[in-house]
Amino acid sequence: MKTEHNGNTAGMSRRTLLARTGAVAAGLAVGPVLGGISPAQAAAWRVPGEETSHKRTWMAWPSSYTIWGSTLSKIQTDIAKLAKEVAKYEPVTMCADGSSAASQARSMCGSTVTVISSVPVSDCWMRDTGPLFRVDGAGGLDSVGLNFNAWGENATTFYGIPGSAYNKDRVVAQKLAAYTGVAFAKASVVGEGGGVEYDGDGTLMATESCWVNSNRNPGKTRSQIEAELLARFGATKMIWLPGVTGEDVTDGHIDGTARYIRPGVVMVQLNGAVRPGVWTRNAQAIHDVLVNATDARGRRLQVLTIQGPDTLPRIPAGRRSEFLSSYMNWTVTNQAVITTQFGDTARDAAAKTAIAAAYGRPVVQLNLDNLYGNGGGGAHCVTMQEPNR
């Protein structure tokens, strides 16, 4: 998530992808890793693939002027639009920061969205802040937190937002888990849910730029980070992918470029004509790794591709040539896939057709220009699924 500064707008944009000279995240340092819990055993518990059955989707209502400034109402409009669409296909529970924010969320989201104020939130990026729900195959459900630290404190480094603005999001995972009544454990690594893709069948994929980074995991090796992620997700193989450090607040989350459709099948977005070289090269490099990769079951991955839009978004915040317009940031619901459209009629239609064919379920494309253009994240970034047991 992010909002960008425009003179009278406070905040940051999580994936606006502004190139920042000297703002290379890998050079930052943070405090000690949270948790201190020994790695979990990967035998029984696993995070199921997102295409499997959900009990509900969790979201969070943005209400912080410190973070969003004058764009806040526009972001709220897009969050409400998305929540109402998801609620057509599965239950949605929206966390709001206090009674006033909850009242506003209920008014804007309508009666099909359940709004609660008992789980305080800083902002709307539930994919990165919320818990990962795991199942054990025997009716059990528990959860894991990845120790959100405002994207390696990049919210402050890139955009000057005080770290304290995200204090509630730093603990929202355990509070939400407590609300649902499921066991919760902190991982011994720091990161975000948008930084890992998982097939629910033993394989993860992630960019090194997010995880092997001193702004999140100082002093930890790739092998140590991998072992912990595999254990917490209930997986046995990691596919490490190249990424881009210091170009956006997330340090190149994987969910903007490559996604699992189902075990053995991934999709990669190759950039359209208006994308900058750094992201075009990275997308191609990710594609090239995946076409030669096998998963935990020994399957050669089937790699599907789509093209990004050839036109820039419709609002000023998204018209920079550095901006990455990604169809890949979709959210999967029980009956449909919800993603963005960017106003490039041909590319929008091609992406919709390809995603629908891959999943075998309808695709809804929403105009989320304000959320994506000002905030830098799409439907995946602001949702977290709770699986059926």
Side-chain angles (χ1 to χ4, degrees):
M1 79 87 322
K2 311 165 290 220
T3 338
E4 58 179 88
H5 294 287
N6 61 9
N8 63 357
T9 300
M12 80 160 197
S13 177
R14 225 180 33 81
R15 210 187 303 271
T16 41
L17 309 183
L18 286 169
R20 296 285 177 149
T21 303
V24 179
L28 302 178
V30 296
V33 174
L34 300 176
I37 299 171
S38 60
Q41 297 301 309
W45 294 94
R46 66 182 178 87
V47 178
E50 294 180 32
E51 81 285 357
T52 58
S53 178
H54 300 172
K55 179 179 179 179
R56 60 183 155 186
T57 285
W58 288 93
M59 296 182 68
W61 184 252
S63 58
S64 171
Y65 188 84
T66 299
I67 292 172
W68 288 106
S70 62
T71 64
L72 179 59
S73 63
K74 295 178 181 179
I75 302 303
Q76 291 171 334
T77 297
D78 276 4
I79 290 291
K81 180 193 301 184
L82 176 61
K84 287 187 285 189
E85 188 64 36
V86 175
K88 295 177 182 178
Y89 309 105
E90 63 186 63
V92 174
T93 301
M94 180 80 69
C95 300
D97 190 28
S99 59
S100 177
S103 177
Q104 182 186 41
R106 291 187 187 101
S107 175
M108 294 183 69
C109 294
S111 61
T112 61
V113 175
T114 299
V115 179
I116 62 172
S117 59
S118 48
V119 179
V121 293
S122 300
D123 205 1
C124 60
W125 307 104
M126 187 60 82
R127 178 66 48 182
D128 292 347
T129 64
L132 295 162
F133 291 99
R134 309 190 304 179
V135 297
D136 66 357
L141 183 73
D142 77 353
S143 62
V144 172
L146 294 176
N147 305 305
F148 176 75
N149 73 340
W151 308 281
E153 309 301 341
N154 279 342
T156 300
T157 302
F158 277 28
Y159 302 103
I161 300 175
S164 59
Y166 296 95
N167 281 352
K168 293 172 184 176
D169 280 354
R170 296 173 195 269
V171 295
V172 73
Q174 53 262 53
K175 289 184 179 295
L176 195 155
Y179 178 88
T180 61
V182 302
F184 174 83
K186 294 180 180 180
S188 65
V189 293
V190 174
E192 305 87 37
V196 184
E197 277 288 306
Y198 40 94
D199 69 352
D201 195 36
T203 310
L204 308 180
M205 59 181 182
T207 57
E208 291 192 45
S209 55
C210 287
W211 293 93
V212 192
N213 192 322
S214 61
N215 67 4
R216 292 170 174 87
N217 294 296
K220 289 189 177 291
T221 66
R222 191 180 83 167
S223 294
Q224 290 172 325
I225 296 165
E226 175 179 317
E228 175 67 349
L229 288 174
L230 291 175
R232 295 299 184 177
F233 277 82
T236 58
K237 181 168 184 177
M238 171 69 83
I239 301 173
W240 284 109
L241 299 168
V244 177
T245 302
E247 292 289 329
D248 77 320
V249 169
T250 73
D251 291 307
H253 272 182
I254 187 62
D255 67 352
T257 302
R259 301 288 305 277
Y260 267 109
I261 304 294
R262 57 186 173 274
V265 181
V266 298
M267 182 176 281
V268 178
Q269 177 177 301
L270 301 175
N271 287 336
V274 294
R275 300 306 92 199
V278 63
W279 298 104
T280 299
R281 291 190 298 272
N282 187 63
Q284 188 64 54
I286 286 173
H287 172 271
D288 293 348
V289 171
L290 290 174
V291 295
N292 292 298
T294 56
D295 66 13
R297 306 293 181 185
R299 293 172 291 220
R300 175 77 67 176
L301 293 178
Q302 179 184 359
V303 182
L304 309 174
T305 60
I306 60 173
Q307 293 292 132
D310 282 336
T311 59
L312 291 169
R314 290 156 289 206
I315 64 171
R319 291 179 188 150
R320 299 172 310 279
S321 61
E322 297 88 355
F323 187 83
L324 176 61
S325 303
S326 177
Y327 299 114
M328 306 302 294
N329 203 261
W330 61 65
T331 189
V332 183
T333 72
N334 286 332
Q335 299 172 16
V337 179
I338 303 170
T339 188
T340 48
Q341 48 98 333
F342 294 99
D344 182 333
T345 304
R347 291 295 193 201
D348 286 353
K352 181 177 181 178
T353 298
I355 297 166
Y359 275 105
R361 57 183 93 176
V363 170
V364 178
Q365 286 185 313
L366 298 179
N367 181 336
L368 299 175
D369 277 6
N370 283 295
L371 178 64
Y372 215 123
N374 288 302
H380 194 245
C381 291
V382 296
T383 56
M384 177 60 82
Q385 71 284 350
E386 179 183 339
N388 277 314
R389 305 187 186 204

